Amino acid sequence: MGEIPDEPAARGGGTGWQSEVEDLRALQAMHRYQRWKADLVRPFLGPRVIEVGCGTGSFLRQLRGHDRLIGVDRDAACVEVARVALSGRPDVEVRQVDATGAGFLRLADERPSTVVFMSSLEEIRDDRRAIRQAADILAPAGRIVVFVSALPWLTGTLDRTYDQRRYRAGELREMLTAAGCRIVKVRYVNLLGVLGWLWDSRIRRRDAVPAAAYRQRDRTVPVARLLDAVTGPPIGRSLLAVGEKTGP
């Protein structure tokens, strides 16, 4: 199967997750996939963005034209790599912060217009707290943007290796609503990838994706994007959800 693998998730907070810097570096070879994800969320981003679980900074490197970008991650090794990679960007700062800790709330001083979880909410143990705290630090009418692994029935060995959960659309709607947000958008992403994940994680029961496979699988992205554009899609390996803060 040549479909796109889910990313190892969450550097965001409170998970017991151990640094996967080399795995994240391997994923950077998936240029088409990284651009696809950025293209999906870019229309929902405001001028002041905080990314939770920024890893080695692959998403932040794609963002331009914002007033302020802050990446936070609880893993010190990832933070160091991201800081080096983004050292030439005066508009970007990377901090070691736990998304479910009290220190995260101090980011309210930055008046963020958007808090983004890019393949990171999956491994945050208290995901509801992370969403609530994201809403708490947002400026009025700010947005929470979530890109996560979808379809719990796809859960297999790869999910257990990364200690990640998979979400239903209704779960994300409820979490964002409970945090005081109105739903702007919820949609599935990557219909083609459902087959790949089912094959790797449920049928073959792999506990890792070979690093050499990333570049090869990246070649399937144009097909996956076209299929999504044509079909909707009705289901997908990932979910994109956007909520807008309704309170002060």
Side-chain angles (χ1 to χ4, degrees):
M1 288 286 181
E3 291 79 6
I4 306 156
D6 279 4
E7 293 196 43
R11 282 69 60 185
T15 67
W17 177 86
Q18 295 185 353
S19 179
E20 296 286 352
V21 170
E22 293 308 314
D23 205 355
L24 291 171
R25 280 174 168 156
L27 278 163
Q28 291 173 17
M30 300 186 70
H31 302 297
R32 296 178 183 88
Y33 184 53
Q34 300 296 344
R35 283 197 299 271
W36 186 14
K37 290 177 63 179
D39 289 346
L40 285 167
V41 306
R42 192 175 282 113
F44 305 104
L45 303 182
R48 303 178 67 83
V49 179
I50 293 176
E51 184 193 2
V52 176
C54 66
T56 55
S58 60
F59 175 65
L60 291 174
R61 285 199 291 274
Q62 298 182 76
L63 301 184
R64 300 283 176 176
H66 297 269
D67 296 342
R68 179 82 161 136
L69 298 171
I70 298 176
V72 302
D73 203 297
R74 73 184 297 271
D75 184 78
C78 285
V79 167
E80 181 59 29
V81 172
R83 283 174 175 166
V84 171
L86 295 160
S87 59
R89 296 276 305 273
D91 57 327
V92 184
E93 181 182 357
V94 182
R95 304 182 187 180
Q96 185 178 358
V97 179
D98 185 334
T100 60
F104 183 79
L105 296 175
R106 289 194 285 272
L107 289 168
D109 295 340
E110 299 288 343
R111 302 289 290 173
S113 50
T114 315
V115 177
V116 184
F117 296 81
M118 290 294 286
S119 301
S120 62
L121 189 68
E122 295 95 321
E123 289 189 5
I124 298 177
R125 182 171 292 127
D126 194 346
D127 53 351
R128 290 177 176 271
R129 181 179 178 87
I131 292 292
R132 288 197 305 270
Q133 297 210 147
D136 287 343
I137 69 170
L138 277 173
R143 288 177 170 178
I144 298 174
V145 179
V146 182
F147 189 95
V148 292
S149 300
L151 307 177
W153 56 265
L154 278 179
T155 299
T157 53
L158 285 169
D159 300 283
R160 287 188 281 273
T161 294
Y162 295 125
D163 193 23
Q164 70 171 18
R165 67 181 69 84
R166 309 190 74 86
Y167 291 86
R168 300 178 181 88
E171 288 180 272
L172 291 183
R173 289 179 182 274
E174 191 275 327
M175 289 171 66
L176 290 169
T177 301
C181 296
R182 74 172 184 88
I183 302 302
V184 175
K185 191 176 193 70
V186 176
R187 61 155 290 188
Y188 284 100
V189 178
N190 195 5
L191 176 61
L192 182 62
V194 171
L195 297 176
W197 198 259
L198 186 65
W199 174 256
D200 281 337
S201 196
R202 293 294 303 275
I203 297 174
R204 294 192 65 185
R205 297 186 179 182
R206 280 181 164 176
D207 58 8
V209 176
Y214 287 128
R215 195 178 303 274
Q216 177 184 356
R217 295 184 177 200
D218 198 45
R219 298 191 185 104
T220 68
V221 169
V223 176
R225 292 187 71 156
L226 178 60
L227 184 62
D228 273 28
V230 171
T231 63
I235 61 170
R237 180 184 292 173
S238 302
L239 268 167
L240 170 65
V242 182
E244 185 172 280
K245 185 175 180 177
T246 57

